């Protein structure tokens, strides 16, 4: 029933919190993956919004967009320095899941500190599918 992108993303954060303590969403823009919103445990929203990971960088975002899921450590390199700083560190099992509309990645969910990794990734994939459908519906309503 959400009517805007941000309403959908707030619901994604709420749903993600059911399986992970730290949850954030990154919008895909021309310049790269841009921090959009997060749970307080992930970090400060203003700091998250200063994160930009270029599309051409090899990153967990790129891996998720290409493969449909990334599960593993956040690499300690230039592309991820800001992300790790905002998160205050990360576990070895960070999940990144793309939200796609018509096959194109538009947002990436990043979640850390989940209890059961298999349950968490399955739930995040379900959230991503539902959010993609909602984005598609919202886009059609605007036409």
């Amino acid at each position: 029933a959400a009517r805007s992108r941000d309403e959908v993303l707030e619901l994604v954060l709420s749903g993600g919190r059911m399986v992970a303590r730290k949850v954030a969403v990154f919008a895909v823009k021309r310049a790269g993956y841009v921090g959009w919103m997060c749970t307080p445990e992930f970090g400060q929203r203003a700091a998250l919004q200063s994160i930009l990971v270029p599309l051409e960088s090899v990153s967990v975002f790129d891996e998720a967009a290409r493969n449909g899921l990334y599960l593993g450590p956040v690499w300690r390199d230039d592309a991820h320095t800001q992300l790790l700083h905002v998160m205050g560190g990360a576990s070895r099992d960070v999940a990144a899941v793309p939200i796609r509309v018509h096959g194109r990645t538009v947002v990436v969910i990043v979640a850390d500190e989940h209890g059961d990794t298999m349950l968490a990734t399955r739930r995040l994939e379900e959230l991503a599918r539902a959010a993609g459908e909602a984005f598609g519906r919202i886009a059609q309503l605007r036409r």
Side-chain angles (χ1 to χ4, degrees):
R3 294 186 179 155
S4 73
R5 174 191 58 200
D6 285 353
E7 280 184 72
V8 172
L9 293 178
E10 288 287 354
L11 292 169
V12 167
L13 289 179
S14 295
R17 284 184 101 170
M18 304 288 280
V19 294
R21 187 169 169 269
K22 295 179 175 182
V23 185
V25 291
F26 291 77
V28 181
K29 302 286 186 178
R30 279 197 175 109
Y33 301 96
V34 178
W36 201 256
M37 58 178 60
C38 62
T39 61
E41 296 83 5
F42 194 96
Q44 293 183 3
R45 190 172 284 195
L48 179 88
Q49 291 173 341
S50 71
I51 296 174
L52 169 65
V53 177
L55 291 175
E56 62 274 1
S57 294
V58 177
S59 68
V60 299
F61 303 99
D62 180 54
E63 289 288 319
R66 252 188 298 117
N67 300 317
L69 170 69
Y70 172 80
L71 181 64
V74 175
W75 307 316
R76 297 194 182 282
D77 60 13
D78 290 344
H80 299 93
T81 300
Q82 290 179 298
L83 175 62
L84 288 168
H85 178 73
V86 169
M87 291 178 76
S91 75
R92 293 186 337 216
D93 288 323
V94 174
V97 180
I99 296 175
R100 294 183 170 137
V101 177
H102 305 298
R104 188 175 141 252
T105 300
V106 296
V107 171
V108 176
I109 306 166
V110 176
D112 193 17
E113 296 184 15
H114 20 82
D116 181 311
T117 303
M118 189 181 327
L119 176 68
T121 55
R122 188 175 303 133
R123 176 70 173 160
L124 293 169
E125 288 172 325
E126 291 169 0
L127 286 168
R129 251 189 315 280
E133 290 170 9
F135 288 150
R137 180 184 50 76
I138 290 168
Q140 282 195 326
L141 289 174
R142 289 186 178 167
R143 289 180 189 170

